[in-house]
Amino acid sequence: MTADPKHLERLVRELSQLPAIDRARVVAEASRRAKPLPRSFTLHRPTLKGGISWIGGTLSREELYGEHGR
């Protein structure tokens, strides 16, 4: 079942206005009632495959961020 974005927005707004303890109870109850994910469902990020090696230069912090100090 796909929810209407407007309906989801209303639910988010109402949930955010609840006190923290009530919000936690609602989320816990919703999690308890939710259908389990299928066994084939994975939360892995997709990875790129192919090529032989990286040829785009160094991947050092200094090269990536320059003088921003990140």
Side-chain angles (χ1 to χ4, degrees):
M1 179 178 124
T2 304
D4 177 31
K6 290 181 182 180
H7 180 68
L8 289 176
E9 177 62 32
R10 183 182 61 81
L11 289 173
V12 168
R13 190 173 43 254
E14 289 177 7
L15 186 62
S16 68
Q17 293 172 352
L18 290 174
I21 189 73
D22 293 336
R23 189 175 339 144
R25 286 182 185 144
V26 170
V27 171
E29 181 64 20
S31 296
R32 188 183 67 76
R33 292 185 186 190
K35 294 179 184 177
L37 295 173
R39 289 183 184 249
S40 63
F41 184 82
T42 61
L43 295 175
H44 300 289
R45 294 182 202 154
T47 56
L48 299 176
K49 296 181 181 176
I52 298 171
S53 62
W54 175 254
I55 58 171
T58 66
L59 292 175
S60 69
R61 182 175 295 265
E62 292 77 21
E63 283 288 323
L64 292 174
Y65 299 110
E67 295 180 11
H68 295 290
R70 294 188 63 144

